[in-house]
Amino acid sequence: MKKLYEYICKGETFVIKVFLVFMVGLVFIAASTRYLGYPINWSVDMAVCLFAWCTFLGGDVAMRNNKLMSVDFLINKLSGKNKNFIEIINLFIILIFLAALVGFGVWLSYTTRFRAFQGIPGFSYTWVTLSVPVAGALMVITTILKIRDKLTRGVSKSIQDRHNGDVF
């Protein structure tokens, strides 16, 4: 199972890189053809779709690598046990929010299945809105793994403290 998750993480990073290259390429082609007098209007709209996917998938990669913005100057003043407790509570709040994001994202994707994205015929708005529940589900997995890590590290830390004679 761990290997599967590693493959998913590598695949997610690869998809972000490919989408980013295509996004930049589409914007460059759109600007070049517009300058030449032959604009390709759909290319910017497709770049917006790719941007949505890069943004949400990138959020999971940032979360997995602990690169999200955080305000922890108050938390760092707490003892290790209290700090760990606050971080676990925070992760549970994030988990609840992400579960709601996935649920409402699936609902939004379902309700927009017949809507054309930016008027492009044959391209459903669902392809854009699916970025929310897909990336949200990946973030749920990341959050659960972080909670599990904090709980196991907290238990092993308290056992280690007992062996060292530290109570607090």
Side-chain angles (χ1 to χ4, degrees):
M1 194 66 151
K2 189 174 183 178
K3 274 286 198 208
L4 176 66
Y5 183 67
E6 288 176 13
Y7 286 131
I8 290 172
C9 293
K10 287 179 184 178
E12 184 180 22
T13 305
F14 177 76
V15 166
I16 292 169
K17 290 176 183 177
V18 169
F19 282 5
L20 189 61
V21 168
F22 276 119
M23 184 174 54
V24 170
L26 283 170
V27 171
F28 178 75
I29 289 170
S32 300
T33 56
R34 186 176 306 269
Y35 179 75
L36 296 173
Y38 301 99
I40 303 174
N41 295 330
W42 60 266
S43 63
V44 173
D45 298 329
M46 291 306 294
V48 168
C49 174
L50 295 175
F51 179 75
W53 278 94
C54 287
T55 300
F56 287 108
L57 291 176
D60 181 45
V61 172
M63 183 179 210
R64 191 176 330 114
N65 295 320
N66 295 321
K67 299 292 183 183
L68 290 176
M69 180 190 78
S70 66
V71 181
D72 57 0
F73 63 91
L74 291 175
I75 301 294
N76 287 337
K77 295 180 189 265
L78 297 174
S79 67
K81 189 176 182 180
N82 291 334
K83 179 180 176 183
N84 199 33
F85 178 74
I86 296 293
E87 288 173 350
I88 289 171
I89 295 296
N90 189 31
L91 286 171
F92 272 110
I93 292 169
I94 290 170
L95 186 63
I96 292 167
F97 171 77
L98 289 173
L101 192 71
V102 170
F104 286 115
V106 168
W107 178 78
L108 180 65
S109 297
Y110 179 76
T111 59
T112 60
R113 67 190 184 280
F114 298 120
R115 179 180 169 194
F117 178 65
Q118 303 288 30
I120 302 172
F123 190 74
S124 174
Y125 195 72
T126 298
W127 289 109
V128 179
T129 56
L130 270 176
S131 63
V132 175
V134 169
L138 291 168
M139 285 189 226
V140 163
I141 294 169
T142 301
T143 305
I144 290 170
L145 291 174
K146 284 183 170 292
I147 290 170
R148 186 187 74 180
D149 181 54
K150 291 255 181 228
L151 288 173
T152 56
R153 197 163 19 113
V155 168
S156 65
K157 176 90 169 124
S158 64
I159 290 171
Q160 181 183 10
D161 289 345
R162 274 189 246 140
H163 284 299
N164 293 337
D166 297 336
V167 177
F168 297 101

